[in-house]
Every structure is written in C-alpha cells, then in structure tokens.
Amino acid sequence: MIHRNYFHRPISHFAEPPITSGVGNPSAGLAGRSAGGVPPRLTIGSGRGKEPLESMHPGLGRRMRFGGGMATSSTTGWMEIVVVIENLPLVVNQELFPGVPLSIEQFNELVRLIYQGPLEPVPWRGAAAMIRDCLRSNRTTFVLRPASARLPAFMVRDRGQGPEVYQDAYNQQEVFSRDPFVGLPPHRVVSIDDVMDVENWLNSDFYKQFVEPEKIRYIVGADILVEGGAEFRLRITRSPEQGPFSESDKALCQMLLPHFKLALELQSRLEVTETERGFYAKTVSQMQVGTVVLDDAGDVIDVNDIANGILSRQDGIAISQKRLHASYGRENLDLQRIIRQALDLSIAKDGQPVNGVSSNAISISRPSGRSRLNIVVRPIMQGAGLQRPSAVLFIRDPDINAAPSHSVLKQLFEFTNAEANLSLMLARGLTLDEAAAESGIRKNTARAYLRSIFSKTGVQRQTTLVRLILGSVAAIG
C-alpha cells in the first residue's frame, strides 16, 4: 500500500547541500506488519513529478535536496512537500505499533503537524498535543533552545491543558544544567532508565526537587542536532501510575525524528530569510525607496510603506484592479511595456536576461507638477510556485530625501552635536547662511563649525561635503 500526504508550505530559497544523519531503526515494531513483511519506506518529494527530496530506509542514513522560493510576507513562494509512506498495512485502521493507538491516517496527521510546527503561534503545539495523546503520557516537552549563560531555555510543553511556552526556574542555566537526562546519543530515542541507574535517579536531588513534584517517573527523549549547531530536545513523560514506555512507544518516536530534523532545518532557514528580509526592507525604507512586488500576472502582491505613501496620493502612479497604472496615457504604455518585459525575463531560459538587459527605468510625470517619479523595474528570477514574485519596481520621489542619521554622522566623523546638525542642514540643500538662521547662530559661528567639519572630513568644498554625507552609510543608519 502507498499512502500520500501533501503539505503546501512556504520555505526559504535553498541551496542543495547533502545532509546526512543516522536514523537508528525507525521501523522497529513495523517489520512483518506490512504486506510480504517488507518494512515501511518513507519518501518526501516535490509532488510535481520531480525526484524525491528525501528517501529514508530503515537502518540507513538519509540524504535530501531542497528547492523552492522565498517564504516572506511580501512574496508568495511555495513548495509542495509530499510524504509517501510505502509498504504499510492494507488495513488503514490497524495500529502501526503494537499497543500504540495510532492508525496510518493518524500517523499521517502527526507528520503533517510536525511540518506545520514552525508556522504555529506556539511552535509545534499540534504535534505536542497529539504525541501526548498517542503515547498516553502526562506531558510532552520540546526544548527549542537549551539554557545558556546569556539566555534562558525556550521550551514548549503540553500537559493536557493546551500547549504553552514553559517559563519556570528550570529554564535558567543554573538549574537547567543540573538535569542528568542530557547529552543523549544524537538522533536516538532512549529512556531515563536506559542511561541512569534507577535507584540513583529516584534518589537524586534533581529528581526530588524538579521531577517528582510534577508526578513524573518515566521519561523518554531524544536530542536532535541541526545544521549550524542548534539542538532540539524531545522529552515525553509518564507518572508512576501510567507505567513505563514500551519498545513500540520508542519505535514511534524514533520514526518521527527524521521529520522533526527536517522541520527544524526548514524553520532555521525560514528564520534566517525572515531576519534578512526584515533588515533589508528597513534599510530600503530608510533610503526613501519604495518597493512594489508583482506576481507573474503583473498583479501587485506587496508594497512597502514608502511605496504605499506614493501610490496612495495617486499623483502620477496608482494601483487599479491590482495593477499599476501611470496617470498619462503614453507613459502608462511605456510602464506596461517594461513591466511585461521584466515578467518575460523572470522566466527566461536558465534565468539569463535577454540581450544582457536585467532592468529598465522610466520617469513618470505627476499632475500636481511636482518632480517626476523615478522608477526602475527588475525581474525576479526563481523557480515555479503557486503565486510567485516575478518583478519588483523601485520608486523614488526626488522631493523626499533620505535623512542621514545624526548619531551615525557623529560617530563616522567625530562631529560635535552642532557640527552634525549643520552638516545635515547643508545635506538638505540649505546654504550656510540659511543653516545659520535656522539654527539661531551667527554666521561667523557657522563658518567656524564648517571649518572644523572640513578638517574632520578632509574636504574643502560644501558640494563635496554634501556628496560625502549623502554617499555615506549615515543614510542607512
């Protein structure tokens, strides 16, 4: 039997490094239960007829390849992940593991929840609750970040009262570091009784102070190492009355580890992408550059704050029925032409721009008579998706200048407050006399400040000073 589940998830743009890890024996408890006694096989693929991203066999390592687009709020790049479970029992309601109330359909749902985990408000809340229910435990805990001298642990747990971010004394390093159930063999499920003498464990100060009061006696867990050195810890507990975990319980957990590892790697790359995007978006906005992102049909799918301000004034350019339109007919024809060209370039063969042209520029007149808007249109070249960003427009209003940072100017050139203020006024286009009047200082005082500024920057002309300031990193500080 082959069972499939489809996950549509946004993911970041991945390179294709091979990633390997031992997975122990994830099919323990399954051998002989499928047709012909063939152990189950998991494949994670693209779902579009491409070769699988991951193929996992019992007892072997695994390799995977990534592809896809960007996962950001401004773009809609998607990747379709298909989990294919082969050689499973033909009776779908039959338990996969002896004594564990989990059917194929439920296992399929649990795998889906693992991949959905990074997108949930409380990470992996759905998976935590379902694992607790399936294993009849009193709690499931995910340690997403172990405690350190700098930061407390970040933990998510489910105790049957709804998943929660766990914040307690245990999260602090001085307590967290005393836990003896750490440093487990990577990617392998073990119990506390496997690694510690039972009598020593039950008589330890740590058990009596932090574990026993929580009605915990039995623990199974696994440590998962992900790229970049991050560590994820899975801990599942039972009370004395609930009894120890069986080998089938541990086999189920073992089979889930590769999925947790892959989901964690996706989360890690998503976080990097989101952090980078947020930083670059903020920098572009500080430079007073508007950005408008278009999909492959030319519809607007995202604008930043600067572009939104320009477009909302409907002075020269505006959005109508999800499309950009210029105010004047001839300019609108030119704008639509270069947008279409950018969209065509975004799907050019091998991502190579036609005739070496990768962008086009246009200036747009404004009915208000203000300075013409400057626009550059560039294609975005990347893989296929459900609704992918295909072109971006950069819009600049010449009447709005990026204001260099006062504090950054002081640090760059060792200016005093007065010198930084005068430099900013000159960069805004004021003459020295106008700057003196606006500052409420004498002209001779302004000239003295200017001489000091020249000395500190190594320039001798005001025009050169303005060019130096506007071209410095102060504009993005």
Side-chain angles (χ1 to χ4, degrees), residues 278-323:
F279 173 77
Y280 293 137
K282 182 179 179 181
T283 300
V284 169
S285 294
Q286 285 178 325
M287 297 174 69
Q288 298 299 314
V289 175
T291 59
V292 181
V293 181
L294 309 179
D295 66 11
D296 52 7
D299 291 346
V300 175
I301 58 177
D302 187 65
V303 298
N304 71 353
D305 290 341
I306 303 301
N308 188 55
I310 294 173
L311 295 170
S312 64
R313 288 190 285 272
Q314 300 186 25
D315 187 16
I317 190 170
I319 298 177
S320 175
Q321 297 181 336
K322 298 183 179 181
R323 302 287 179 93

mmCIF file of all heavy atoms in Angstrom, residues 278-323:
data_model
loop_
_atom_site.group_PDB
_atom_site.id
_atom_site.type_symbol
_atom_site.label_atom_id
_atom_site.label_comp_id
_atom_site.label_asym_id
_atom_site.label_seq_id
_atom_site.Cartn_x
_atom_site.Cartn_y
_atom_site.Cartn_z
ATOM 1 N N GLY A 278 13.700 41.354 6.737
ATOM 2 C CA GLY A 278 13.307 42.482 7.567
ATOM 3 C C GLY A 278 14.379 43.556 7.622
ATOM 4 O O GLY A 278 14.082 44.752 7.558
ATOM 5 N N PHE A 279 15.637 43.120 7.712
ATOM 6 C CA PHE A 279 16.740 44.080 7.770
ATOM 7 C C PHE A 279 16.859 44.853 6.461
ATOM 8 O O PHE A 279 16.977 46.085 6.453
ATOM 9 C CB PHE A 279 18.048 43.342 8.054
ATOM 10 C CG PHE A 279 19.267 44.209 7.972
ATOM 11 C CD1 PHE A 279 19.589 45.080 8.984
ATOM 12 C CD2 PHE A 279 20.089 44.166 6.849
ATOM 13 C CE1 PHE A 279 20.709 45.899 8.902
ATOM 14 C CE2 PHE A 279 21.216 44.975 6.754
ATOM 15 C CZ PHE A 279 21.519 45.842 7.789
ATOM 16 N N TYR A 280 16.820 44.128 5.328
ATOM 17 C CA TYR A 280 16.964 44.797 4.028
ATOM 18 C C TYR A 280 15.770 45.705 3.745
ATOM 19 O O TYR A 280 15.937 46.800 3.187
ATOM 20 C CB TYR A 280 17.117 43.764 2.919
ATOM 21 C CG TYR A 280 18.409 42.972 3.003
ATOM 22 C CD1 TYR A 280 18.424 41.598 2.801
ATOM 23 C CD2 TYR A 280 19.609 43.601 3.307
ATOM 24 C CE1 TYR A 280 19.596 40.873 2.886
ATOM 25 C CE2 TYR A 280 20.787 42.883 3.410
ATOM 26 C CZ TYR A 280 20.781 41.516 3.197
ATOM 27 O OH TYR A 280 21.938 40.795 3.289
ATOM 28 N N ALA A 281 14.568 45.261 4.113
ATOM 29 C CA ALA A 281 13.387 46.085 3.881
ATOM 30 C C ALA A 281 13.478 47.391 4.666
ATOM 31 O O ALA A 281 13.129 48.467 4.171
ATOM 32 C CB ALA A 281 12.123 45.314 4.267
ATOM 33 N N LYS A 282 13.943 47.301 5.913
ATOM 34 C CA LYS A 282 14.088 48.501 6.731
ATOM 35 C C LYS A 282 15.128 49.443 6.131
ATOM 36 O O LYS A 282 14.940 50.665 6.100
ATOM 37 C CB LYS A 282 14.487 48.112 8.154
ATOM 38 C CG LYS A 282 14.625 49.305 9.097
ATOM 39 C CD LYS A 282 14.990 48.849 10.511
ATOM 40 C CE LYS A 282 15.148 50.041 11.445
ATOM 41 N NZ LYS A 282 15.527 49.611 12.816
ATOM 42 N N THR A 283 16.221 48.875 5.634
ATOM 43 C CA THR A 283 17.272 49.698 5.036
ATOM 44 C C THR A 283 16.767 50.421 3.802
ATOM 45 O O THR A 283 17.019 51.614 3.604
ATOM 46 C CB THR A 283 18.487 48.823 4.669
ATOM 47 O OG1 THR A 283 18.989 48.194 5.859
ATOM 48 C CG2 THR A 283 19.589 49.658 4.041
ATOM 49 N N VAL A 284 16.044 49.703 2.939
ATOM 50 C CA VAL A 284 15.497 50.314 1.729
ATOM 51 C C VAL A 284 14.529 51.439 2.092
ATOM 52 O O VAL A 284 14.543 52.515 1.483
ATOM 53 C CB VAL A 284 14.803 49.245 0.855
ATOM 54 C CG1 VAL A 284 13.993 49.904 -0.260
ATOM 55 C CG2 VAL A 284 15.834 48.309 0.253
ATOM 56 N N SER A 285 13.694 51.212 3.092
ATOM 57 C CA SER A 285 12.749 52.253 3.507
ATOM 58 C C SER A 285 13.470 53.477 4.066
ATOM 59 O O SER A 285 13.058 54.620 3.823
ATOM 60 C CB SER A 285 11.773 51.692 4.553
ATOM 61 O OG SER A 285 10.946 50.692 3.996
ATOM 62 N N GLN A 286 14.549 53.255 4.815
ATOM 63 C CA GLN A 286 15.315 54.383 5.360
ATOM 64 C C GLN A 286 15.916 55.223 4.239
ATOM 65 O O GLN A 286 16.113 56.429 4.402
ATOM 66 C CB GLN A 286 16.418 53.869 6.270
ATOM 67 C CG GLN A 286 15.913 53.383 7.625
ATOM 68 C CD GLN A 286 17.028 52.838 8.483
ATOM 69 O OE1 GLN A 286 17.973 52.231 7.983
ATOM 70 N NE2 GLN A 286 16.930 53.035 9.786
ATOM 71 N N MET A 287 16.170 54.606 3.100
ATOM 72 C CA MET A 287 16.717 55.335 1.948
ATOM 73 C C MET A 287 15.614 55.980 1.121
ATOM 74 O O MET A 287 15.873 56.519 0.041
ATOM 75 C CB MET A 287 17.540 54.375 1.091
ATOM 76 C CG MET A 287 18.745 53.798 1.815
ATOM 77 S SD MET A 287 19.606 52.541 0.854
ATOM 78 C CE MET A 287 20.297 53.544 -0.469
ATOM 79 N N GLN A 288 14.358 55.903 1.639
ATOM 80 C CA GLN A 288 13.199 56.505 0.970
ATOM 81 C C GLN A 288 12.960 55.916 -0.420
ATOM 82 O O GLN A 288 12.570 56.621 -1.356
ATOM 83 C CB GLN A 288 13.364 58.030 0.882
ATOM 84 C CG GLN A 288 13.448 58.733 2.222
ATOM 85 C CD GLN A 288 12.187 58.532 3.051
ATOM 86 O OE1 GLN A 288 11.084 58.670 2.562
ATOM 87 N NE2 GLN A 288 12.369 58.197 4.327
ATOM 88 N N VAL A 289 13.189 54.639 -0.545
ATOM 89 C CA VAL A 289 12.934 53.940 -1.803
ATOM 90 C C VAL A 289 11.697 53.064 -1.623
ATOM 91 O O VAL A 289 11.635 52.242 -0.707
ATOM 92 C CB VAL A 289 14.137 53.064 -2.224
ATOM 93 C CG1 VAL A 289 13.805 52.249 -3.476
ATOM 94 C CG2 VAL A 289 15.360 53.933 -2.463
ATOM 95 N N GLY A 290 10.704 53.263 -2.476
ATOM 96 C CA GLY A 290 9.511 52.432 -2.437
ATOM 97 C C GLY A 290 9.715 51.168 -3.233
ATOM 98 O O GLY A 290 10.398 51.166 -4.255
ATOM 99 N N THR A 291 9.142 50.058 -2.766
ATOM 100 C CA THR A 291 9.221 48.794 -3.497
ATOM 101 C C THR A 291 7.811 48.256 -3.717
ATOM 102 O O THR A 291 6.974 48.276 -2.819
ATOM 103 C CB THR A 291 10.046 47.736 -2.735
ATOM 104 O OG1 THR A 291 9.465 47.489 -1.447
ATOM 105 C CG2 THR A 291 11.487 48.199 -2.567
ATOM 106 N N VAL A 292 7.580 47.785 -4.941
ATOM 107 C CA VAL A 292 6.311 47.167 -5.320
ATOM 108 C C VAL A 292 6.640 45.822 -5.942
ATOM 109 O O VAL A 292 7.391 45.759 -6.927
ATOM 110 C CB VAL A 292 5.523 48.030 -6.322
ATOM 111 C CG1 VAL A 292 4.192 47.362 -6.672
ATOM 112 C CG2 VAL A 292 5.293 49.424 -5.768
ATOM 113 N N VAL A 293 6.101 44.739 -5.381
ATOM 114 C CA VAL A 293 6.375 43.389 -5.877
ATOM 115 C C VAL A 293 5.174 42.909 -6.693
ATOM 116 O O VAL A 293 4.020 43.035 -6.255
ATOM 117 C CB VAL A 293 6.643 42.409 -4.714
ATOM 118 C CG1 VAL A 293 6.948 41.003 -5.253
ATOM 119 C CG2 VAL A 293 7.819 42.904 -3.871
ATOM 120 N N LEU A 294 5.450 42.361 -7.882
ATOM 121 C CA LEU A 294 4.409 41.865 -8.779
ATOM 122 C C LEU A 294 4.532 40.363 -8.945
ATOM 123 O O LEU A 294 5.641 39.811 -8.927
ATOM 124 C CB LEU A 294 4.518 42.528 -10.164
ATOM 125 C CG LEU A 294 4.601 44.053 -10.213
ATOM 126 C CD1 LEU A 294 4.722 44.518 -11.661
ATOM 127 C CD2 LEU A 294 3.392 44.685 -9.539
ATOM 128 N N ASP A 295 3.385 39.681 -9.114
ATOM 129 C CA ASP A 295 3.435 38.256 -9.410
ATOM 130 C C ASP A 295 3.577 38.055 -10.913
ATOM 131 O O ASP A 295 3.726 39.024 -11.678
ATOM 132 C CB ASP A 295 2.213 37.522 -8.840
ATOM 133 C CG ASP A 295 0.907 37.936 -9.509
ATOM 134 O OD1 ASP A 295 0.943 38.628 -10.557
ATOM 135 O OD2 ASP A 295 -0.167 37.572 -8.986
ATOM 136 N N ASP A 296 3.526 36.790 -11.376
ATOM 137 C CA ASP A 296 3.793 36.529 -12.784
ATOM 138 C C ASP A 296 2.672 36.996 -13.711
ATOM 139 O O ASP A 296 2.825 36.986 -14.933
ATOM 140 C CB ASP A 296 4.088 35.042 -13.020
ATOM 141 C CG ASP A 296 3.025 34.147 -12.426
ATOM 142 O OD1 ASP A 296 2.006 34.682 -11.951
ATOM 143 O OD2 ASP A 296 3.210 32.920 -12.428
ATOM 144 N N ALA A 297 1.548 37.435 -13.144
ATOM 145 C CA ALA A 297 0.480 38.008 -13.957
ATOM 146 C C ALA A 297 0.545 39.530 -13.974
ATOM 147 O O ALA A 297 -0.245 40.183 -14.664
ATOM 148 C CB ALA A 297 -0.880 37.559 -13.426
ATOM 149 N N GLY A 298 1.473 40.093 -13.215
ATOM 150 C CA GLY A 298 1.591 41.541 -13.133
ATOM 151 C C GLY A 298 0.761 42.159 -12.029
ATOM 152 O O GLY A 298 0.698 43.389 -11.903
ATOM 153 N N ASP A 299 0.107 41.338 -11.204
ATOM 154 C CA ASP A 299 -0.675 41.861 -10.082
ATOM 155 C C ASP A 299 0.244 42.254 -8.932
ATOM 156 O O ASP A 299 1.252 41.581 -8.674
ATOM 157 C CB ASP A 299 -1.665 40.822 -9.582
ATOM 158 C CG ASP A 299 -2.790 40.560 -10.576
ATOM 159 O OD1 ASP A 299 -2.944 41.373 -11.513
ATOM 160 O OD2 ASP A 299 -3.492 39.544 -10.414
ATOM 161 N N VAL A 300 -0.122 43.306 -8.226
ATOM 162 C CA VAL A 300 0.644 43.757 -7.062
ATOM 163 C C VAL A 300 0.380 42.799 -5.897
ATOM 164 O O VAL A 300 -0.779 42.556 -5.538
ATOM 165 C CB VAL A 300 0.248 45.190 -6.665
ATOM 166 C CG1 VAL A 300 0.954 45.604 -5.379
ATOM 167 C CG2 VAL A 300 0.573 46.166 -7.787
ATOM 168 N N ILE A 301 1.450 42.250 -5.322
ATOM 169 C CA ILE A 301 1.275 41.360 -4.167
ATOM 170 C C ILE A 301 1.901 41.925 -2.899
ATOM 171 O O ILE A 301 1.642 41.405 -1.816
ATOM 172 C CB ILE A 301 1.835 39.945 -4.452
ATOM 173 C CG1 ILE A 301 3.321 39.998 -4.823
ATOM 174 C CG2 ILE A 301 1.035 39.259 -5.527
ATOM 175 C CD1 ILE A 301 3.935 38.617 -5.040
ATOM 176 N N ASP A 302 2.681 42.994 -3.016
ATOM 177 C CA ASP A 302 3.215 43.611 -1.800
ATOM 178 C C ASP A 302 3.802 44.975 -2.118
ATOM 179 O O ASP A 302 4.346 45.196 -3.218
ATOM 180 C CB ASP A 302 4.294 42.730 -1.168
ATOM 181 C CG ASP A 302 4.728 43.277 0.186
ATOM 182 O OD1 ASP A 302 3.897 43.291 1.112
ATOM 183 O OD2 ASP A 302 5.882 43.710 0.311
ATOM 184 N N VAL A 303 3.672 45.907 -1.176
ATOM 185 C CA VAL A 303 4.315 47.219 -1.281
ATOM 186 C C VAL A 303 4.888 47.552 0.086
ATOM 187 O O VAL A 303 4.356 47.119 1.112
ATOM 188 C CB VAL A 303 3.327 48.330 -1.721
ATOM 189 C CG1 VAL A 303 2.765 48.041 -3.098
ATOM 190 C CG2 VAL A 303 2.200 48.486 -0.711
ATOM 191 N N ASN A 304 5.981 48.311 0.122
ATOM 192 C CA ASN A 304 6.479 48.759 1.421
ATOM 193 C C ASN A 304 5.836 50.093 1.778
ATOM 194 O O ASN A 304 5.032 50.650 1.014
ATOM 195 C CB ASN A 304 8.014 48.830 1.435
ATOM 196 C CG ASN A 304 8.576 49.966 0.588
ATOM 197 O OD1 ASN A 304 7.847 50.655 -0.137
ATOM 198 N ND2 ASN A 304 9.881 50.168 0.661
ATOM 199 N N ASP A 305 6.151 50.610 2.952
ATOM 200 C CA ASP A 305 5.491 51.822 3.444
ATOM 201 C C ASP A 305 5.748 53.022 2.534
ATOM 202 O O ASP A 305 4.860 53.858 2.312
ATOM 203 C CB ASP A 305 5.958 52.142 4.865
ATOM 204 C CG ASP A 305 5.436 51.136 5.880
ATOM 205 O OD1 ASP A 305 4.455 50.434 5.565
ATOM 206 O OD2 ASP A 305 6.026 51.044 6.984
ATOM 207 N N ILE A 306 6.969 53.131 2.008
ATOM 208 C CA ILE A 306 7.305 54.274 1.150
ATOM 209 C C ILE A 306 6.483 54.232 -0.125
ATOM 210 O O ILE A 306 5.892 55.234 -0.543
ATOM 211 C CB ILE A 306 8.810 54.280 0.822
ATOM 212 C CG1 ILE A 306 9.643 54.302 2.116
ATOM 213 C CG2 ILE A 306 9.147 55.470 -0.057
ATOM 214 C CD1 ILE A 306 9.375 55.481 3.010
ATOM 215 N N ALA A 307 6.415 53.062 -0.767
ATOM 216 C CA ALA A 307 5.631 52.918 -1.992
ATOM 217 C C ALA A 307 4.150 53.142 -1.715
ATOM 218 O O ALA A 307 3.436 53.762 -2.525
ATOM 219 C CB ALA A 307 5.851 51.545 -2.601
ATOM 220 N N ASN A 308 3.674 52.659 -0.581
ATOM 221 C CA ASN A 308 2.265 52.837 -0.241
ATOM 222 C C ASN A 308 1.918 54.322 -0.121
ATOM 223 O O ASN A 308 0.851 54.767 -0.567
ATOM 224 C CB ASN A 308 1.955 52.116 1.070
ATOM 225 C CG ASN A 308 0.477 52.104 1.390
ATOM 226 O OD1 ASN A 308 -0.344 51.657 0.596
ATOM 227 N ND2 ASN A 308 0.120 52.628 2.555
ATOM 228 N N GLY A 309 2.840 55.100 0.469
ATOM 229 C CA GLY A 309 2.604 56.537 0.577
ATOM 230 C C GLY A 309 2.547 57.208 -0.783
ATOM 231 O O GLY A 309 1.693 58.078 -1.033
ATOM 232 N N ILE A 310 3.441 56.826 -1.693
ATOM 233 C CA ILE A 310 3.463 57.415 -3.040
ATOM 234 C C ILE A 310 2.209 57.022 -3.817
ATOM 235 O O ILE A 310 1.560 57.862 -4.460
ATOM 236 C CB ILE A 310 4.728 56.967 -3.789
ATOM 237 C CG1 ILE A 310 5.982 57.548 -3.121
ATOM 238 C CG2 ILE A 310 4.665 57.375 -5.261
ATOM 239 C CD1 ILE A 310 7.293 57.021 -3.682
ATOM 240 N N LEU A 311 1.856 55.738 -3.763
ATOM 241 C CA LEU A 311 0.718 55.253 -4.542
ATOM 242 C C LEU A 311 -0.607 55.789 -4.013
ATOM 243 O O LEU A 311 -1.531 56.040 -4.788
ATOM 244 C CB LEU A 311 0.704 53.722 -4.533
ATOM 245 C CG LEU A 311 1.885 53.039 -5.235
ATOM 246 C CD1 LEU A 311 1.878 51.543 -4.950
ATOM 247 C CD2 LEU A 311 1.822 53.291 -6.742
ATOM 248 N N SER A 312 -0.707 55.959 -2.695
ATOM 249 C CA SER A 312 -1.965 56.430 -2.118
ATOM 250 C C SER A 312 -2.290 57.863 -2.525
ATOM 251 O O SER A 312 -3.461 58.259 -2.539
ATOM 252 C CB SER A 312 -1.918 56.322 -0.590
ATOM 253 O OG SER A 312 -0.918 57.171 -0.053
ATOM 254 N N ARG A 313 -1.278 58.638 -2.888
ATOM 255 C CA ARG A 313 -1.527 60.012 -3.336
ATOM 256 C C ARG A 313 -2.063 60.064 -4.756
ATOM 257 O O ARG A 313 -2.572 61.104 -5.202
ATOM 258 C CB ARG A 313 -0.230 60.831 -3.217
ATOM 259 C CG ARG A 313 0.159 61.142 -1.780
ATOM 260 C CD ARG A 313 1.288 62.150 -1.712
ATOM 261 N NE ARG A 313 2.570 61.574 -2.061
ATOM 262 C CZ ARG A 313 3.406 60.984 -1.209
ATOM 263 N NH1 ARG A 313 3.057 60.894 0.075
ATOM 264 N NH2 ARG A 313 4.557 60.498 -1.604
ATOM 265 N N GLN A 314 -1.914 58.969 -5.515
ATOM 266 C CA GLN A 314 -2.419 58.876 -6.892
ATOM 267 C C GLN A 314 -1.961 60.067 -7.738
ATOM 268 O O GLN A 314 -2.726 60.617 -8.538
ATOM 269 C CB GLN A 314 -3.947 58.761 -6.905
ATOM 270 C CG GLN A 314 -4.455 57.532 -6.158
ATOM 271 C CD GLN A 314 -5.950 57.333 -6.289
ATOM 272 O OE1 GLN A 314 -6.563 57.779 -7.254
ATOM 273 N NE2 GLN A 314 -6.551 56.666 -5.320
ATOM 274 N N ASP A 315 -0.732 60.429 -7.539
ATOM 275 C CA ASP A 315 -0.148 61.562 -8.257
ATOM 276 C C ASP A 315 0.936 61.033 -9.201
ATOM 277 O O ASP A 315 2.103 60.957 -8.837
ATOM 278 C CB ASP A 315 0.441 62.565 -7.251
ATOM 279 C CG ASP A 315 0.921 63.845 -7.923
ATOM 280 O OD1 ASP A 315 0.546 64.093 -9.091
ATOM 281 O OD2 ASP A 315 1.704 64.580 -7.283
ATOM 282 N N GLY A 316 0.529 60.625 -10.386
ATOM 283 C CA GLY A 316 1.477 60.087 -11.365
ATOM 284 C C GLY A 316 1.366 58.591 -11.523
ATOM 285 O O GLY A 316 1.476 58.062 -12.629
ATOM 286 N N ILE A 317 1.149 57.862 -10.436
ATOM 287 C CA ILE A 317 1.035 56.411 -10.497
ATOM 288 C C ILE A 317 0.132 55.928 -9.369
ATOM 289 O O ILE A 317 0.118 56.513 -8.281
ATOM 290 C CB ILE A 317 2.427 55.741 -10.408
ATOM 291 C CG1 ILE A 317 2.336 54.252 -10.708
ATOM 292 C CG2 ILE A 317 3.083 55.988 -9.056
ATOM 293 C CD1 ILE A 317 3.706 53.586 -10.866
ATOM 294 N N ALA A 318 -0.652 54.885 -9.650
ATOM 295 C CA ALA A 318 -1.589 54.356 -8.656
ATOM 296 C C ALA A 318 -1.884 52.898 -8.975
ATOM 297 O O ALA A 318 -1.501 52.378 -10.030
ATOM 298 C CB ALA A 318 -2.879 55.174 -8.639
ATOM 299 N N ILE A 319 -2.566 52.228 -8.042
ATOM 300 C CA ILE A 319 -2.992 50.840 -8.241
ATOM 301 C C ILE A 319 -4.478 50.835 -8.572
ATOM 302 O O ILE A 319 -5.281 51.457 -7.879
ATOM 303 C CB ILE A 319 -2.745 49.994 -6.980
ATOM 304 C CG1 ILE A 319 -1.258 49.930 -6.641
ATOM 305 C CG2 ILE A 319 -3.289 48.568 -7.184
ATOM 306 C CD1 ILE A 319 -0.964 49.177 -5.358
ATOM 307 N N SER A 320 -4.829 50.124 -9.645
ATOM 308 C CA SER A 320 -6.215 49.955 -10.031
ATOM 309 C C SER A 320 -6.421 48.507 -10.431
ATOM 310 O O SER A 320 -5.727 47.996 -11.319
ATOM 311 C CB SER A 320 -6.565 50.881 -11.205
ATOM 312 O OG SER A 320 -7.886 50.640 -11.653
ATOM 313 N N GLN A 321 -7.345 47.828 -9.754
ATOM 314 C CA GLN A 321 -7.634 46.409 -10.015
ATOM 315 C C GLN A 321 -6.350 45.568 -9.947
ATOM 316 O O GLN A 321 -6.067 44.757 -10.823
ATOM 317 C CB GLN A 321 -8.320 46.233 -11.364
ATOM 318 C CG GLN A 321 -9.682 46.913 -11.432
ATOM 319 C CD GLN A 321 -10.379 46.715 -12.762
ATOM 320 O OE1 GLN A 321 -9.741 46.461 -13.788
ATOM 321 N NE2 GLN A 321 -11.701 46.837 -12.751
ATOM 322 N N LYS A 322 -5.584 45.810 -8.892
ATOM 323 C CA LYS A 322 -4.358 45.076 -8.575
ATOM 324 C C LYS A 322 -3.197 45.367 -9.526
ATOM 325 O O LYS A 322 -2.128 44.779 -9.381
ATOM 326 C CB LYS A 322 -4.602 43.562 -8.556
ATOM 327 C CG LYS A 322 -5.605 43.088 -7.520
ATOM 328 C CD LYS A 322 -5.704 41.570 -7.543
ATOM 329 C CE LYS A 322 -6.684 41.071 -6.509
ATOM 330 N NZ LYS A 322 -6.781 39.592 -6.498
ATOM 331 N N ARG A 323 -3.385 46.279 -10.492
ATOM 332 C CA ARG A 323 -2.319 46.591 -11.450
ATOM 333 C C ARG A 323 -1.851 48.034 -11.277
ATOM 334 O O ARG A 323 -2.624 48.912 -10.864
ATOM 335 C CB ARG A 323 -2.810 46.389 -12.894
ATOM 336 C CG ARG A 323 -3.314 44.984 -13.203
ATOM 337 C CD ARG A 323 -2.178 43.989 -13.293
ATOM 338 N NE ARG A 323 -2.633 42.657 -13.567
ATOM 339 C CZ ARG A 323 -2.738 42.127 -14.794
ATOM 340 N NH1 ARG A 323 -2.451 42.863 -15.863
ATOM 341 N NH2 ARG A 323 -3.142 40.882 -14.943
#
